[in-house]
Amino acid sequence: MAGNGTNGQQYVGTRTIRPDGADKVTGRARFGADYNLAGQLIGKVLRSPHPHARIVSIDTSKAEALPGVKAVITRDDFADMPSEFIPAGEMMMNYKDVTRNVMAREKALYEGHAVAAVAATSAVIAKKALKLIDVTYDVLPHVIDVVEAMQPGAPILHDDLFTVGVEPKPDRPSNVAKRVEISQGDIDAGFKRADVIVEREFKTAPVHQGYIEPHAVLATVSEDGSAEVWVSTQGHYIVRAHCARLLGMDIGKIRVNAAEIGGGFGGKTVVYLEPLALALSRKAKRPVKMVMSREEVFKASGPTSGAVVKVKMGATKDGKFVAGWAELKYQAGAFQGSPVQPGVMCAYAPYEIEHVKVVGYDVVSNRPKVAAYRAPGAPISEYAVESVVDEIAKKLGIDPIQLRMMNAAHEGTKAAYGPKFGPLGLEETLNSIKKTEHWNTPLRKWQGRGVASGFWFNIGGETCVSLTVNEDGTVSLMAGTPDIGGLRASLAAVAADELGIPYDKVRPIIGDTGSLGFNFLTGGSRSAFSGSMAIVEAAKQIKSELCARAAKLWEMKPDEIEYAGGHVKPKVASEKVTPMSLVDFAKVAGKTGGPIGGVGRINAQGAGPSLGTHLVDLEVDPETGRVTILRYTVAQDAGKALHPAYVEGQFQGGAVQGIGWALNEEYIYGADGKLQNAGFLDYRMPVASDVPKIDAIVVEVANPRHPYGVRGVGETPIVPPLGAIANAMENATGIRFTELPMSPPKVLKALKEKYGAGGAGR
Amino acid sequence: MAKHHVEAIVNGDPVEFLCETEETLLDVLRDTLHLTGSKEGCSSGDCGACSVTLDGRLVCSCLVLGCEVGGRTIETIEGMAKGETLHPLQQRFLEHAALQCGICTPGFLVASKALLERNPNPTETEIRYWLAGNLCRCTGYDKIITAVQDAAGAMRKG
C-alpha cells in the first residue's frame, strides 16, 4: 500500500508549493512562444476569407521571389491520406480529415482555413509574402447552422460523406456524418408509467476553450531528416505521431519537447501549426517559429460544438425517474467528429433510470473543426437534462436536491451507456451542498438560486514515468504528460511519500519524447490519476532493487528486508546491520550494481467517474438584462485529492468557464459565414469582477482501483454550471431560458415579453 | 525607413535598442531584450498578459510602441523579485496556488503590485475591478484574489 512517509510526514493530501512555481512567478518559465533558435525564420499562414470555396489554383511564384522568403508550402506539400478512423482518447480521428484541416486541399471549408504558409527572415516579410500568393477561389454556398445543415438541399461540404448508423444506407452525401444511439429498457413503456412528463428543446452556442496562450511552435529539421520541435501542447507524443504521419517521417526521427503550456482545456490535443512548421523547416533547412494571433485562434482552432437538444423525461408522482429520452444534434465544424458520442453517453449518467434512449447526430458545417473542450459534449446534454430535472421537481413540488438524491446513480447502478458503476460520490456531493449555509440563505426579488449535478467518465491510458536516484540521494522524477495545473506538485508528493523522502528532494520535470516511453496526452482528467499510478510502480522497482542489494551486502534473503520510512532495513531488527537510507545507498550505488532507478510503464485502467453538484445564486437586472453571479459553491468527488489546492482550483476554474458558457460566450456569425467576434473584446470571457468567490467542497469517495483512491477531477467542474445557472434564472425571473448564452439582450427581450419594460409587471 | 534608436531604463538597468516603427514595446521586450516573461495573449489590450509599468503606470505593453519609450522607466515581471527574495505577491501566489498554467501570472503580478502601490488596503471588490483587465482562464480568479489580499496584509505589516 502507498505512503511510507518520512519522519511521519505525508505530502499527499497537503498543499505543497509547486516545484515549478518560482519559475512561473518570475517570468522564467518558458512557454511555447518563448523558445528561439539562432537563424530561425518566422512562419505565417494564409487563410481562406471564404467560408466555403473550391480552390481552383494557388500561385506562389511571386511570394517565393520576394527577398527573405525561404519557403512556401501549400496542399502540394502534403500527401493525401486514406480515410481511416483511429481512437484518440475520448474522441476519434481520421488522417484524411486532419491533413485537410491543417492545409486545405480541394476546398476551403471555413473562414480561416489554412491555404498556404510562408517562412521568411522576418514577420514583416512573411506577411508581405502572404499578400503575394494568388489563390483563385470558386466561392460556394455555405451553411453555418446545425439544423439548416441537416436539411435536404443544404450546401454539402463533403461529396463522400454518407450518414453512418442509419438504415437503409443512404445513396446521397449529407452533412450528417453519423447517427449514434444508446438505449436500455423500453422507452415507450417507461413513459406509460410516468405521472409527469416534461419535454423541452434547448439550443447552445459554440464556445472556445479560451486558453490565454495562442498556439506556438518552433521546429527545426536537419539535412539528415531528423527533427526537433518545441511546442505548447497537451501531448507532445501525440504531436510527434501526427507530424510523423502527415509528413511521412519516422517517429523516432522527431524529438518533441513540451514547452510550458498556457492553458489547453482540450484545445491543444490536436495539431495545427506543428506540421506546417516542420514542412517549412524541411524545405528551408532553417528553424521555423510560428505563433497564432488571437484572431487565428478563434477562427482556426477548435471551439466546442453548438447544439440543438431535445429532452423528454418522465417521473412518477413520488419522484422516481422512469424514462429519459433525448435527441442531440451537435456541430462538428468542417470535419466530422463532434463530441456527440460522449454527450449521448453522459446525458442521463448521473441518474438511475430504467428506460433510456438517447440519439445523437454529428453534423458538419462551414465552421472551424471542433476540438475537445473539458468533458467534451457532456455540458451540453447534461445542461438540457438538468433543466428538465428542475422542471420536474417544480411540477412535483419536490426539493431539487431531494429529487436528485432520490434518483442518484450509485454503486451498482447500471448506466444506460453500458457499465455497472463502482462507488460513486453524487449523493455525497448533494448532501454536502444541502448542508451549506449558502443553501439556506434568503434571497430577494430578481434573485434566484439554482442547483445542478454533473457526470464525467475520466480516462486512464498509456503512461510512462521514471524515478532516478541521483548520486546524492535526491530523486529526479520525469513525466511525459505536460503539466497544466500543478501536476508536478501532485506527482512529487506521491514520489516523496512512496520513497519516504522529503518533498523538496524530488525534482519533477516533463521529459521530451526521446526520454520516456509513449505517453498519451494530458486530457480526460488522466494525468494525476495515471501518473501517480505509474510512480507507485516505479518506486516499487526502486524499493525492491534496494532490498535485493541490501540482501547481498548483509548476506540475508531479500524477503527478510523491507523498505519503510525512507530506509532499507531488516524486517526483524538486527544489531549486525544498520538501516540504510536512500542517501546511504546513493553513495554506494556504483559498488552495489550501478545506477538506481525505476520506470513505471502502464496502461492505466480503472479511472473513476467524478460527479459534482453546483449551487449558484444570481441576480437579474430587469433594466439591462445583465446577470450577476452573487454566490457559487461547488461540491465534487475527487476520490482522493493528491493536492487539495489544485483540486479546488480545477473546481473553481471549471465553474467560471461554465459561467462564461452560460451567460456570455458564443461564436457570432454574419450572413456571409464570417465570424464577427474573433477577439477577447467581443468574445467576452469572465473577468475577475464578473464573479464572486467560488466555494469549493472536496468530497472524497475513494476510487478502489487507484492506490490512493484518486479519480480524475479536471473536467467534471464545467458540466453542472450551465444547468445550475439556467435553473437559478428560472427562479429569479419565472422564465425557463432554453437558449445559451443567456446574454443581456436575450434576457431583456424575454423579460419585456413577459413583464413589460423594466420588468414592471412582476 | 531606418530603425529608431531608443534608450530607456528597464528594471533599473539602462538599455538601448533599435526598433521598427510598428514594433510594440512587447515585441521589443520579448524579441530584442529577451525578456519573455511578458506574454502575448491577444495583442489588442484585452488580456493583460503583457502588463508592465511605464513610469509607474500600469499599461499593456502590446498597446505601446517601442519607439515611444525613449527616456522612460519600465518595470517588468523580471524585475519583481529582489535578489533571491520573491516579492510578497509572488510568494503568496505560490502559497495559495493562485496559478495553474501560469501564462497569465506575470501580468497578474505586475498589475497587483501596481494596485498595492496605490492602495495598500484594497477591498475584494477593488481588487476584482483593478484586475478586470487581466484574463485568467484556469483559476476562476478565486485564489488570485485571496493571494493578493494576503500579500496586501503582509506588506502592510512590513
Side-chain angles (χ1 to χ4, degrees):
Chain A
M1 187 56 199
N4 279 292
T6 175
N7 306 320
Q9 182 159 21
Q10 300 268 332
Y11 298 102
V12 166
T14 69
R15 296 167 189 252
T16 55
I17 302 282
R18 61 195 289 165
D20 54 317
D23 285 355
K24 294 255 164 82
V25 296
T26 55
R28 203 174 270 111
R30 282 187 294 173
F31 290 81
D34 299 338
Y35 285 86
N36 295 289
L37 285 173
Q40 75 188 16
L41 305 172
I42 300 299
K44 295 279 177 194
V45 179
L46 180 69
R47 297 183 181 279
S48 169
H50 307 295
H52 196 191
R54 191 165 301 285
I55 300 170
V56 179
S57 64
I58 306 173
D59 181 356
T60 61
S61 56
K62 277 185 241 160
E64 281 162 23
L66 184 70
V69 172
K70 300 296 175 186
V72 181
I73 55 169
T74 66
R75 55 192 176 181
D76 297 337
D77 293 272
F78 294 89
D80 203 354
M81 299 274 150
S83 181
E84 180 188 0
F85 285 91
I86 298 164
E90 297 145 329
M91 317 271 277
M92 297 289 282
M93 57 169 295
N94 187 328
Y95 279 110
K96 183 184 178 212
D97 292 342
V98 176
T99 194
R100 278 166 177 74
N101 195 34
V102 299
M103 188 63 82
R105 291 184 85 81
E106 301 85 359
K107 295 202 285 187
L109 291 161
Y110 51 93
E111 183 213 9
H113 198 163
V115 173
V118 169
T121 49
S122 76
V124 173
I125 295 171
K127 281 182 197 163
K128 271 186 199 154
L130 293 184
K131 289 187 183 146
L132 295 174
I133 298 174
D134 282 329
V135 184
T136 306
Y137 293 101
D138 175 12
V139 177
L140 301 167
H142 62 269
V143 60
I144 296 291
D145 181 75
V146 64
V147 175
E148 285 172 22
M150 294 176 80
Q151 298 304 316
I156 294 292
L157 273 72
H158 305 281
D159 294 339
D160 59 347
L161 189 65
F162 295 84
T163 309
V164 171
V166 292
E167 292 294 338
K169 195 172 175 249
D171 56 2
R172 279 189 207 175
S174 154
N175 293 322
V176 182
K178 68 178 175 188
R179 177 190 183 278
V180 293
E181 177 183 324
I182 60 159
S183 67
Q184 73 176 8
D186 177 343
I187 192 70
D188 296 329
F191 281 115
K192 275 183 196 140
R193 279 180 50 205
D195 299 310
V196 56
I197 293 174
V198 174
E199 186 170 5
R200 285 277 187 190
E201 180 169 313
F202 300 87
K203 199 171 174 187
T204 71
V207 293
H208 197 274
Q209 295 83 352
Y211 32 82
I212 309 301
E213 180 201 29
H215 298 264
V217 62
L218 171 62
T220 181
V221 182
S222 295
E223 281 70 7
D224 65 2
S226 63
E228 188 160 7
V229 180
W230 293 261
V231 60
S232 168
T233 176
Q234 290 175 243
H236 42 317
Y237 292 83
I238 301 301
V239 166
R240 183 177 67 163
H242 290 346
C243 289
R245 181 77 178 259
L246 295 172
L247 296 163
M249 297 170 77
D250 287 344
I251 282 179
K253 280 263 173 79
I254 308 176
R255 177 183 178 191
V256 185
N257 303 275
E260 296 299 336
I261 167 173
F265 312 105
K268 291 179 183 168
T269 57
V270 287
V271 290
Y272 299 107
L273 297 177
E274 298 85 349
L276 308 188
L278 277 166
L280 286 166
S281 178
R282 185 159 70 174
K283 220 166 182 175
K285 294 290 178 288
R286 299 259 295 264
V288 175
K289 178 171 176 173
M290 301 181 82
V291 181
M292 279 196 197
S293 67
R294 180 54 54 182
E295 185 181 350
E296 288 179 294
V297 172
F298 274 113
K299 289 186 174 175
S301 75
T304 192
S305 309
V308 175
V309 178
K310 283 185 195 159
V311 166
K312 184 179 172 188
M313 276 184 86
T316 61
K317 58 181 181 302
D318 49 2
K320 178 71 194 150
F321 297 162
V322 286
W325 173 90
E327 181 190 72
L328 323 179
K329 296 168 182 167
Y330 279 27
Q331 296 162 2
F335 300 95
Q336 65 176 300
S338 77
V340 73
Q341 177 79 47
V344 162
M345 292 160 77
C346 288
Y348 288 103
Y351 302 110
E352 185 170 76
I353 311 180
E354 194 178 343
H355 307 287
V356 174
K357 181 174 174 181
V358 186
V359 176
Y361 297 94
D362 183 28
V363 184
V364 298
S365 63
N366 296 111
R367 299 168 171 272
K369 164 78 173 77
V370 301
Y373 181 21
R374 211 165 189 167
I380 300 167
S381 62
E382 295 192 51
Y383 146 68
V385 168
E386 288 298 302
S387 298
V388 168
V389 166
D390 214 60
E391 278 200 70
I392 291 175
K394 279 235 163 71
K395 284 202 168 182
L396 294 172
I398 300 176
D399 167 282
I401 291 182
Q402 184 58 28
L403 183 67
R404 286 175 172 84
M405 188 72 84
M406 289 162 61
N407 292 283
H410 48 77
E411 186 168 8
T413 297
K414 191 196 161 293
Y417 72 87
K420 200 173 226 188
F421 289 127
L424 287 186
L426 178 56
E427 289 159 307
E428 286 78 357
T429 67
L430 289 162
N431 269 327
S432 302
I433 288 291
K434 196 157 194 175
K435 278 188 223 152
T436 56
E437 183 256 343
H438 179 179
W439 176 245
N440 295 302
T441 49
L443 294 170
R444 295 197 303 267
K445 191 178 176 187
W446 295 115
Q447 296 182 343
R449 176 167 296 147
V451 66
S453 297
F455 167 97
W456 183 250
F457 319 91
N458 300 325
I459 61 168
E462 287 181 85
T463 307
C464 183
V465 304
S466 68
L467 293 175
T468 304
V469 181
N470 300 314
E471 304 93 291
D472 59 357
T474 56
V475 170
S476 298
L477 187 172
M478 192 184 289
T481 44
D483 175 0
I484 317 186
L487 174 68
R488 276 168 288 207
S490 295
L491 297 188
V494 172
D497 280 2
E498 288 294 321
L499 294 173
I501 61 174
Y503 174 78
D504 66 0
K505 297 298 179 190
V506 180
R507 164 92 170 155
I509 62 166
I510 306 303
D512 65 75
T513 51
S515 306
L516 291 167
F518 177 78
N519 275 277
F520 187 59
L521 47 75
T522 293
S525 304
R526 69 171 224 96
S527 65
F529 168 80
S530 308
S532 54
M533 280 173 107
I535 285 172
V536 169
E537 173 59 30
K540 198 184 288 173
Q541 292 167 14
I542 290 175
K543 290 185 273 193
S544 141
E545 168 70 13
L546 293 185
C547 288
R549 291 190 191 192
K552 282 186 191 159
L553 285 176
W554 299 336
E555 295 177 340
M556 296 170 74
K557 288 181 191 152
D559 62 6
E560 293 172 332
I561 296 167
E562 65 177 357
Y563 188 104
H567 286 77
V568 184
K569 55 191 178 193
K571 283 180 184 166
V572 180
S574 159
E575 284 179 9
K576 283 186 279 181
V577 299
T578 313
M580 290 175 72
S581 68
L582 207 54
V583 174
D584 299 331
F585 250 112
K587 285 179 190 156
V588 297
K591 291 176 191 159
T592 58
I596 303 163
V599 180
R601 295 183 188 86
I602 61 169
N603 186 358
Q605 304 295 315
S610 181
L611 284 118
T613 301
H614 290 203
L615 177 65
V616 60
D617 292 355
L618 53 76
E619 180 163 335
V620 179
D621 179 348
E623 299 287 336
T624 64
R626 183 191 154 89
V627 177
T628 303
I629 303 292
L630 302 172
R631 192 163 180 187
Y632 205 106
T633 305
V634 177
Q636 188 183 321
D637 178 16
K640 167 72 186 175
L642 294 174
H643 192 299
Y646 288 109
V647 168
E648 290 166 2
Q650 291 295 320
F651 295 2
Q652 293 161 334
V656 170
Q657 278 188 320
I659 289 170
W661 196 337
L663 293 180
N664 273 306
E665 296 177 31
E666 62 181 316
Y667 267 44
I668 299 170
Y669 281 87
D672 57 1
K674 297 185 185 186
L675 186 62
Q676 295 184 332
N677 60 334
F680 280 144
L681 192 60
D682 298 317
Y683 182 93
R684 198 172 177 301
M685 310 198 309
V687 300
S689 55
D690 291 330
V691 291
K693 302 288 286 180
I694 310 287
D695 292 332
I697 302 169
V698 180
V699 170
E700 293 184 322
V701 176
N703 173 8
R705 298 187 65 190
H706 186 278
Y708 286 81
V710 171
R711 298 170 190 272
V713 293
E715 289 166 293
T716 301
I718 203 173
V719 180
L722 286 56
I725 292 168
N727 294 341
M729 285 293 284
E730 204 274 340
N731 289 326
T733 64
I735 299 168
R736 171 58 59 184
F737 287 86
T738 56
E739 200 175 317
L740 301 185
M742 294 173 279
S743 51
K746 268 187 225 159
V747 173
L748 198 57
K749 185 164 172 278
L751 290 175
K752 201 173 170 188
E753 280 168 13
K754 181 148 184 176
Y755 301 115
R762 184 148 204 254
Chain B
M1 121 159 225
K3 288 186 174 186
H4 303 272
H5 174 248
V6 179
E7 292 182 54
I9 304 290
V10 176
N11 299 328
D13 296 326
V15 298
E16 60 183 306
F17 57 84
L18 298 174
C19 72
E20 306 272 2
T21 305
E22 66 267 33
E23 275 186 286
T24 65
L25 173 58
L26 179 60
D27 294 334
V28 169
L29 289 172
R30 289 180 54 83
D31 300 338
T32 308
L33 302 177
H34 307 299
L35 295 171
T36 56
S38 304
K39 306 300 181 189
E40 181 164 313
C42 66
S43 67
S44 57
D46 296 313
C47 80
C50 65
S51 297
V52 300
T53 57
L54 185 59
D55 291 337
R57 185 174 159 226
L58 182 64
V59 295
C60 287
S61 59
C62 73
L63 297 183
V64 177
L65 290 172
C67 55
E68 288 182 284
V69 304
R72 302 175 77 176
T73 299
I74 297 146
E75 291 285 334
T76 74
I77 185 64
E78 285 89 350
M80 200 160 165
K82 295 295 167 226
E84 288 186 1
T85 311
L86 293 177
H87 187 278
L89 277 162
Q90 293 173 310
Q91 187 60 36
R92 294 308 188 284
F93 266 56
L94 293 181
E95 289 168 6
H96 290 281
L99 53 144
Q100 286 177 32
C101 81
I103 192 83
C104 70
T105 309
F108 268 96
L109 286 166
V110 168
S112 301
K113 181 164 174 270
L115 166 64
L116 299 186
E117 281 165 1
R118 276 157 192 76
N119 180 357
N121 191 11
T123 63
E124 182 188 334
T125 302
E126 284 169 335
I127 296 171
R128 286 187 181 275
Y129 276 88
W130 181 272
L131 295 178
N134 293 76
L135 285 176
C136 170
R137 192 63 156 171
C138 296
T139 65
Y141 305 103
D142 189 284
K143 295 185 190 302
I144 293 175
I145 305 301
T146 307
V148 174
Q149 287 174 315
D150 192 14
M155 288 166 72
R156 285 197 303 276
K157 283 178 200 150

